[in-house]
């Protein structure tokens, strides 16, 4: 899919700030610094619409990116970053529950993980959290280019085994560096958004 128009519409912290144009939404969740912004930028062929940061824990709001005036990518705060206060984490928790629990425009969630490492307990907890709200999940296992070709199937299997995906969920190996998995990502996303 060719994205010719991409813009950040709002950084929201509560329901009353969410856009109300009822366009379909795809959320991106994942550990801080796992590559959510790089994933968005690769998908839409832009260098820096979604800002990548070397400082984990930077995203502290729900960032709504409108694409082609047809749908949104919603970047949610990263999890698993220790330097955030407990109070701050609770605030994020409430914000996530409100969004994932109530948002009717939300069609699916991209859960971004790093294929080089076994999914963390935070990753698995996030998957369970999303399934609690009965949301379709696409596990995007990034940094594929960092794994030698002869070891990739082992890493993909390890990720799949850890999550024990439910029917209707996907596991997508992906590289922001080489663009591997990009076409597959769009093919999956189209199913959820009827684009």
């Amino acid at each position: 899919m060719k994205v010719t128009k991409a813009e950040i519409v709002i950084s929201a912290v509560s329901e009353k700030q969410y856009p109300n144009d009822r366009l379909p939404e795809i959320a991106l969740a994942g550990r801080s610094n796992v590559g959510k912004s790089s994933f968005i930028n690769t998908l839409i062929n832009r260098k820096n619409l979604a800002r990548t940061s070397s400082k984990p824990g930077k995203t502290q709001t729900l960032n709504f990116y409108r694409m082609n005036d047809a749908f949104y990518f919603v970047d949610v705060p990263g999890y698993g970053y220790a330097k955030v206060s407990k109070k701050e984490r609770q605030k994020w928790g409430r914000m996530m529950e409100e969004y994932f629990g109530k948002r009717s425009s939300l069609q699916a969630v991209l859960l971004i993980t790093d294929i080089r490492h076994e999914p963390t307990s935070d990753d698995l907890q996030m998957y369970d959290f999303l399934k609690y709200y009965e949301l379709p999940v696409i596990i995007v296992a990034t940094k594929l280019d960092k794994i030698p070709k002869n070891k990739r199937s082992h890493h993909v299997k390890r990720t799949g085994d850890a999550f024990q995906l439910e029917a209707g969920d996907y596991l997508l190996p992906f590289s922001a560096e080489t663009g591997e998995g990009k076409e597959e990502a769009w093919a999956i996303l189209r199913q959820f958004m009827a684009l």
Side-chain angles (χ1 to χ4, degrees):
M1 179 168 163
K2 196 164 171 26
V3 172
T4 51
K5 187 178 178 193
E7 58 190 333
I8 182 156
V9 173
I10 191 165
S11 296
V13 293
S14 74
E15 202 175 5
K16 26 180 206 302
Q17 297 175 307
Y18 302 164
N20 58 6
D21 49 16
R22 303 202 181 290
L23 293 175
E25 293 169 7
I26 301 287
L28 292 99
R31 275 193 339 277
S32 294
N33 245 18
V34 77
K36 295 190 309 255
S37 301
S38 300
F39 176 81
I40 294 178
N41 292 332
T42 301
L43 239 53
I44 65 170
N45 286 331
R46 286 280 197 88
K47 278 272 184 285
N48 54 7
L49 174 76
R51 283 196 252 321
T52 55
S53 167
S54 54
K55 211 169 128 200
K58 203 94 178 83
T59 304
Q60 299 190 10
T61 52
L62 298 165
N63 295 328
F64 287 79
Y65 297 96
R66 190 166 53 216
M67 305 292 161
N68 286 354
D69 291 329
F71 72 95
Y72 286 96
F73 277 134
V74 183
D75 189 9
V76 307
Y79 52 80
Y81 186 59
K83 280 205 175 114
V84 175
S85 73
K86 196 171 172 190
K87 195 173 156 197
E88 198 63 33
R89 276 203 300 270
Q90 285 170 339
K91 203 165 76 186
W92 288 4
R94 283 193 299 274
M95 187 166 65
M96 305 280 247
E97 276 173 32
E98 182 178 58
Y99 179 68
F100 289 123
K102 295 182 179 177
R103 189 65 168 160
S104 58
S105 326
L106 179 59
Q107 304 302 308
V109 180
L110 295 155
L111 179 51
I112 316 287
T113 66
D114 185 334
I115 198 166
R116 296 173 301 177
H117 310 294
E118 209 164 321
T120 65
S121 59
D122 285 336
D123 292 328
L124 301 176
Q125 204 177 344
M126 188 67 189
Y127 180 74
D128 290 343
F129 174 77
L130 297 170
K131 294 322 294 184
Y132 172 79
Y133 289 112
E134 299 179 351
L135 292 162
V137 179
I138 303 143
I139 306 286
V140 179
T142 61
K143 318 249 166 96
L144 184 63
D145 54 287
K146 305 276 194 275
I147 304 287
K149 284 198 165 55
N150 62 348
K151 295 198 171 139
R152 287 182 179 182
S153 60
H154 163 74
H155 283 262
V156 170
K157 183 179 182 315
R158 182 177 73 177
T159 299
D161 289 349
F163 282 105
Q164 299 176 349
L165 298 183
E166 289 185 13
D169 291 342
Y170 292 86
L171 171 55
L172 173 72
F174 185 85
S175 166
E177 219 35 58
T178 64
E180 280 174 276
K182 182 176 165 179
E183 293 312 313
E184 293 85 341
W186 279 122
I188 294 168
L189 291 175
R190 273 191 204 100
Q191 296 173 40
F192 290 105
M193 298 188 289
L195 292 176

